[in-house]
Amino acid sequence: MNDKNINASSQRYVSLYISCEKSIKSDDADNNKITSIILAELAAKKTDLIKFQKIIVNDQYHIHILLAYPAVQKSIDTEINILTVNITSSLKKLCSTNRCHFISTDIECINDFFSSRFVVTLMASKISDDFFSSIVALLVKNNIFLCSIKSLSDELADIPNQNHVALAQAYELEVLIEDVDTVASLAQKLTDYASQQLVDAAIQPADIFREQKRLACFDMDSTLIQAEVIDELAKEAGVGEQVAKITESAMRGELDFNQSFIKRMSLLEGLEESVLEKVTERLVLSDGVEILFAALNRLGYKTAILSGGFDYFGRFLQKKLGIDYVYANQLNIVEGKLTGKVRGEIVNGDKKAALLQMLAKKENINLEQVIAVGDGANDLPMLALAGLGVAYKAKPLVKASAKYSIDNVGLDGLLYLLGLNARQIRLLIK
């Protein structure tokens, strides 16, 4: 019988993180020796090695080691100090320019060990090795126990009709937080620091629902597409500046959505219906949208557009991306011209939230299994309902209010938040 399974509550776990500043490009043989040296030192100490992980961040080694000691052993701190000194000394023999930074934390094993697990996801076009080390240091400073680290982005993903467009860099750190009340404050510290470095960071519970989402609901304008369609229509009507100012205030939450929408619509009265196709032709998808929907569709997700925009454009995206449901405002058109009004109830923030709940109930899906993504104040009600509510390149008010946000990568970054890695994404979108 494995000793690790005997009286597990008497064990003390030590998490050791090593940032090794030697470039892996210099000599592959030497780099293999780095791993061998560390493992040899661990074997010499006869410690119980639970986990050994090595990732590369911009040509630098980052190594995570999880060790177990009997809780009754009084010399654990001394043992760890000796171990780090020995590793450093051995690596210096390999290369005098090799420098190592060690960060360690420990925790005594309890009955619900690993029950309060969370996952920290880091995403950016480029993540520096200094930034990565500083995130680990921030976790340790806040008494967070590091359970594991892994890279999510070692592969390329093929976008339809394009050749090998690389996904963003992304890394995932699994942590144990004994005091769950600290999660909100830790999340704020993480996101504040990460945003300064143009990195998106999120901390999520590592529960069963994280990787078992089934319904994804999206705002359309400035989320799935890089435009506010009502502003584009206003340009064609010669009232672009007037409408854009009202739109901006509404999205920031400074104006009541219904009132602002009615006011903007009235300025479009008399616009020719033929303009709709003209505007459609110049719509540009947001970064990563095609990758995201190709993956979600293969995974069997139900997808929906819940938009304060117009269903004419939503139907276009539905056909292009394979979206299941579209709920948006219906333009009222008489004799080939817009009347400046819509048919039926205006799709505002409350309506979006009600539609999300309706779809979840219709598909027999728990709200914890729902994703919602949007950028404006009228998206906040549905973001709050969803198990994963994400503000995408959102206005300050929305970003501050949403639990999660993406600012520095494309919408395909959502797949990293779901726990997928680049290799899996590449296979999904073939």
Side-chain angles (χ1 to χ4, degrees):
M1 181 178 292
N2 193 324
D3 289 341
K4 289 194 280 289
N5 296 322
I6 302 175
N7 196 16
S9 61
S10 66
Q11 288 189 312
R12 184 173 165 194
Y13 286 100
V14 175
S15 177
L16 181 63
Y17 168 80
I18 307 171
S19 174
C20 189
E21 296 185 1
K22 179 181 171 65
S23 171
I24 65 165
K25 289 183 177 179
S26 59
D27 189 324
D28 286 340
D30 280 355
N31 290 307
N32 291 333
K33 289 178 183 177
I34 291 175
T35 301
S36 299
I37 286 170
I38 294 173
L39 289 175
E41 291 296 341
L42 290 171
K45 299 304 294 182
K46 297 181 180 179
T47 184
D48 195 355
L49 176 62
I50 305 298
K51 187 181 293 184
F52 183 98
Q53 297 173 301
K54 178 179 66 179
I55 66 167
I56 298 167
V57 182
N58 294 329
D59 299 336
Q60 305 287 327
Y61 270 153
H62 294 260
I63 298 166
H64 173 248
I65 302 167
L66 190 61
L67 307 171
Y69 292 86
V72 294
Q73 184 174 334
K74 297 180 180 180
S75 60
I76 297 177
D77 291 338
T78 301
E79 289 287 328
I80 294 299
N81 288 335
I82 294 173
L83 178 63
T84 57
V85 169
N86 289 349
I87 290 174
T88 301
S89 177
S90 296
L91 288 176
K92 281 184 177 180
K93 295 176 185 177
L94 176 66
C95 178
S96 60
T97 62
N98 191 310
R99 293 183 297 155
C100 289
H101 300 287
F102 293 85
I103 301 174
S104 66
T105 55
D106 64 86
I107 186 170
E108 186 169 343
C109 184
I110 51 179
N111 292 331
D112 61 348
F113 186 60
F114 291 135
S115 63
S116 300
R117 290 181 300 153
F118 291 81
V119 172
V120 175
T121 308
L122 306 173
M123 307 179 290
S125 58
K126 182 166 183 169
I127 295 177
S128 72
D129 116 314
D130 286 342
F131 170 80
F132 190 88
S133 294
S134 66
I135 288 294
V136 176
L138 176 64
L139 293 173
V140 173
K141 183 179 179 181
N142 286 272
N143 299 314
I144 307 302
F145 186 84
L146 178 61
C147 302
S148 70
I149 60 174
K150 64 181 178 181
S151 171
L152 299 178
S153 54
D154 291 334
E155 301 283 342
L156 294 177
D158 297 322
I159 301 176
N161 303 320
Q162 298 186 38
N163 294 321
H164 296 295
V165 176
L167 294 167
Q169 269 189 279
Y171 300 93
E172 185 176 285
L173 299 88
E174 186 176 315
V175 298
L176 175 66
I177 305 179
E178 291 186 282
D179 180 10
V180 294
D181 292 335
T182 67
V183 175
S185 61
L186 175 63
Q188 191 64 53
K189 291 174 184 176
L190 276 172
T191 54
D192 285 349
Y193 177 65
S195 63
Q196 294 172 16
Q197 307 296 318
L198 302 182
V199 176
D200 292 321
I203 178 168
Q204 304 176 70
D207 58 26
I208 191 171
F209 289 119
R210 183 196 170 215
E211 298 179 6
Q212 298 296 323
K213 300 292 190 289
R214 294 174 54 201
L215 169 65
C217 299
F218 298 87
D219 174 45
M220 179 172 63
D221 297 40
S222 296
T223 300
L224 294 181
I225 55 175
Q226 298 179 33
E228 292 286 335
V229 170
I230 196 167
D231 293 350
E232 297 303 308
L233 294 175
K235 291 175 186 176
E236 298 295 331
V239 291
E241 289 188 13
Q242 292 172 259
V243 169
K245 287 180 180 178
I246 300 171
T247 300
E248 193 67 20
S249 294
M251 291 299 100
R252 289 196 301 262
E254 297 170 355
L255 294 176
D256 173 80
F257 182 84
N258 280 23
Q259 291 177 340
S260 68
F261 183 76
I262 292 169
K263 187 175 181 180
R264 285 177 287 167
M265 281 301 305
S266 68
L267 295 171
L268 301 180
E269 184 178 0
L271 186 63
E272 295 286 343
E273 181 182 9
S274 60
V275 169
L276 300 180
E277 184 176 352
K278 181 180 178 181
V279 170
T280 301
E281 290 174 351
R282 67 174 185 252
L283 292 180
V284 178
L285 294 176
S286 295
D287 294 339
V289 166
E290 288 178 302
I291 292 178
L292 174 62
F293 277 88
L296 293 181
N297 290 338
R298 283 290 301 278
L299 288 169
Y301 275 68
K302 291 295 182 180
T303 55
I305 288 177
L306 308 181
S307 174
F310 305 112
D311 68 339
Y312 179 94
F313 304 98
R315 301 296 172 194
F316 165 76
L317 292 178
Q318 181 178 36
K319 184 177 180 181
K320 185 176 182 66
L321 299 171
I323 296 171
D324 295 295
Y325 300 101
V326 174
Y327 293 94
N329 294 301
Q330 301 177 50
L331 289 166
N332 190 34
I333 300 172
V334 177
E335 296 180 353
K337 293 185 177 181
L338 276 63
T339 65
K341 297 179 181 179
V342 294
R343 291 185 282 119
E345 185 180 354
I346 294 173
V347 180
N348 57 20
D350 291 338
K351 183 65 174 177
K352 287 185 180 188
L355 288 166
L356 183 148
Q357 289 179 301
M358 180 273 291
L359 288 174
K361 185 176 181 180
K362 177 180 178 179
E363 297 291 345
N364 194 27
I365 294 172
N366 189 300
L367 287 177
E368 284 294 324
Q369 296 176 280
V370 178
I371 303 165
V373 185
D375 74 299
N378 64 326
D379 295 311
L380 285 173
M382 73 171 182
L383 298 188
L385 280 175
L388 181 62
V390 180
Y392 178 67
K393 298 189 177 179
K395 312 302 182 290
L397 170 67
V398 182
K399 184 178 177 180
S401 302
K403 197 168 184 180
Y404 307 102
S405 63
I406 294 177
D407 291 296
N408 302 291
V409 301
L411 270 177
D412 50 330
L414 196 64
L415 298 171
Y416 286 144
L417 294 182
L418 297 175
L420 294 170
N421 61 41
R423 179 186 58 82
Q424 293 168 324
I425 295 168
R426 178 174 57 84
L427 291 173
L428 286 170
I429 66 176
K430 273 187 175 180

